[in-house]
Amino acid sequence: MDFSLFESVLEESQIISGDGLKVRYHHIWHMDQPLKALCLLLPETTEEVSNIMKICYENDLPVVVHGGLTNLVGSTETDGHEVVISTERLNNIEEIDTSSRTMTVQAGVILENIHEAAASADLLFPLNFGARGSAQIGGIISTNAGGLRVLKYGMTRQLILGLEAVMADGSIISSMKKIIKDNSAYDVKQLFIGSEGTLGIVTKAILKLEEAPNSRNAAYIGFNDYHKVVTFLKYMDSNLAGKLSGFELIWRNSYVQMTSVSDAVRPPLPYEYNYYVLIEALGSHPQNDQIEFQVLLENAIEKEQVLDAVMAQSPSDVEWFFRIREDVNNLVDFMKHDQHFDISLPIPLIGQYIADRYKSLSQIEGVEQVFAFGHVADGNIHFMVGKTNLSPELKKQIDHCIYDGLKEMGGSVSAEHGIGTHKKDYLKLCRSIEEITLMKSIKSIMDPKSLLNPGKIF
């Protein structure tokens, strides 16, 4: 490849090729696999991204964008024929506006740094999930990530006020506004949110912040009946009057594995229940909120809505409780090979559907472990399946088992991770032919040469 094409718009240190690619990779879980690419480029401004794309467009060079490389559906995979653009140097927090309660950030800013910057201004960026120490906001926006607080604050889409993106031909689309209400025709920025880098490259965003809570309460609750899990969700949500921010469900075998790997991760509740719920409530009056939270739990036990409960007594307890839920490596580390799923389905149907999946998966030769957990309050359940080999046949068997039945009940094969390459064969289960046709039309208009993240989604 003629790298002089990019030397006209980038410094030498911003172009990595040849042996330099051996220390790069396409995913943080595959750091032992060197990156396959024509070259990797490290732009530092939107204008440099634009200039790169103009060159790629003129020379028909396909492009894959790399952020924090935490994607789980193959959206950052390459085969060696692409130019890879990394957003890691687009890492500036440009402004925190406390009056507008907004933060202006470049695409490469890591989520945890956004949290810390917001907290320093007594504000909160509520999006939260386990990969916050690696995930970059550009990738988060491109996949419309969810996480642990969707119940209260919504998906990424609800937290983006303004956006800047570079199109396939290098043109810059900028709608960097701090306003919440803008009903002036099409909301173009929404096209880029959740499009997995197939329509444009996100370079900047204006994030919607919230006032920082003064109290945070959490508890683990034990159940044997899924119906009572749903009843308890309604009970807590109605009585906490908007303060319930998280409601996570962990199946028994997942909870046991998550809390028995070391002395450092101990179980808050004994291993005698079918379901374990982790709840979080954010408020503004520490003492009153704690009393209210405790009384609600006590009443639920007295009314036999729940079997057992343990409440966090300190901030360190809260961190301990959430560390159990977030550290999925405690599951992955004990698998020879792992396959991940994040399905979405109506809340009342989750209990039986997951029970059926456990039973069906256990009958597939090659399946060794099955773990389920997830954000039950928004209908999103994660599966991790441990298996003996990487054969395509076994993968398809497991895929069919997990996805079978979702279409009939109005579910989705992807709640928050996207489609990428791993799920594109199953897109038809949750999108109609007409919807997919419209999506392809939008893609062909915005990226007529199909250069952006080629082969992904469709």
Side-chain angles (χ1 to χ4, degrees), residues 309-339:
V310 57
M311 182 173 165
Q313 299 300 313
S314 66
S316 62
D317 277 356
V318 175
E319 294 302 322
W320 160 37
F321 284 11
F322 273 85
R323 189 163 59 249
I324 292 169
R325 165 59 184 85
E326 293 174 352
D327 193 359
V328 297
N329 286 329
N330 289 336
L331 303 177
V332 176
D333 289 347
F334 290 86
M335 296 177 175
K336 186 173 182 180
H337 302 289
D338 51 283
Q339 201 167 325

Side-chain angles (χ1 to χ4, degrees), residues 106-166:
Q106 293 181 329
V109 179
I110 292 171
L111 179 57
E112 193 166 54
N113 294 339
I114 292 172
H115 287 169
E116 292 171 356
S120 69
D122 294 323
L123 293 167
L124 171 74
F125 184 61
L127 190 70
N128 190 29
F129 46 79
R132 60 183 172 274
S134 303
Q136 296 176 11
I137 193 65
I140 291 168
I141 293 169
S142 296
T143 55
N144 187 31
L148 299 163
R149 291 174 176 160
V150 171
L151 166 65
K152 181 174 174 63
Y153 298 104
M155 302 277 280
T156 299
R157 189 180 303 280
Q158 280 73 48
L159 301 170
I160 305 300
L161 297 181
L163 198 69
E164 178 183 85
V166 176

Side-chain angles (χ1 to χ4, degrees), residues 223-276:
F223 300 85
N224 281 336
D225 182 349
Y226 178 75
H227 175 72
K228 289 194 173 182
V229 172
V230 179
T231 301
F232 182 69
L233 167 60
K234 291 175 65 64
Y235 164 76
M236 292 299 287
D237 204 10
S238 62
N239 284 284
L240 283 171
K243 291 193 283 287
L244 185 64
S245 53
F247 195 96
E248 299 292 304
L249 178 59
I250 306 173
W251 273 252
R252 178 196 284 173
N253 72 314
S254 304
Y255 177 80
V256 170
Q257 183 63 44
M258 289 170 164
T259 58
S260 62
V261 292
S262 70
D263 293 337
V265 187
R266 60 197 189 282
L269 288 176
Y271 301 138
E272 57 189 66
Y273 308 112
N274 292 333
Y275 306 101
Y276 294 82

Side-chain angles (χ1 to χ4, degrees), residues 49 100 121 157 184 191 205 209-210 253 257 269 319 374 401 442:
V49 176
S100 294
R157 189 180 303 280
S184 52
L191 287 170
L209 305 180
E210 303 285 344
N253 72 314
Q257 183 63 44
L269 288 176
E319 294 302 322
C401 181
I442 293 170

Side-chain angles (χ1 to χ4, degrees), residues 350-417:
I350 289 174
Q352 189 59 53
Y353 192 83
I354 302 306
D356 292 344
R357 297 318 105 183
Y358 265 93
K359 183 178 179 180
S360 300
L361 287 165
S362 69
Q363 296 171 358
I364 297 176
E365 185 178 352
V367 170
E368 294 185 315
Q369 300 109 339
V370 181
F371 297 113
F373 56 92
H375 323 298
V376 71
D378 51 69
N380 173 197
I381 300 301
H382 297 285
F383 263 106
M384 286 191 177
V385 179
K387 55 188 183 179
T388 58
N389 64 77
L390 293 171
S391 73
E393 294 76 19
L394 178 57
K395 180 185 182 300
K396 278 192 176 181
Q397 256 190 300
I398 296 170
D399 283 343
H400 289 326
C401 181
I402 296 292
Y403 298 141
D404 181 40
L406 285 177
K407 183 176 183 178
E408 289 73 16
M409 62 177 59
S412 173
V413 300
S414 179
E416 57 185 359
H417 291 166

Side-chain angles (χ1 to χ4, degrees), residues 148-200:
L148 299 163
R149 291 174 176 160
V150 171
L151 166 65
K152 181 174 174 63
Y153 298 104
M155 302 277 280
T156 299
R157 189 180 303 280
Q158 280 73 48
L159 301 170
I160 305 300
L161 297 181
L163 198 69
E164 178 183 85
V166 176
M167 302 283 285
D169 63 359
S171 58
I172 299 171
I173 301 295
S174 185
S175 180
M176 295 290 284
K177 298 178 181 179
K178 298 179 181 180
I179 55 178
I180 294 173
K181 302 175 75 173
D182 183 358
N183 208 19
S184 52
Y186 303 152
D187 190 355
V188 174
K189 71 174 181 292
Q190 295 295 338
L191 287 170
F192 301 103
I193 302 173
S195 64
E196 302 180 47
T198 62
L199 300 181

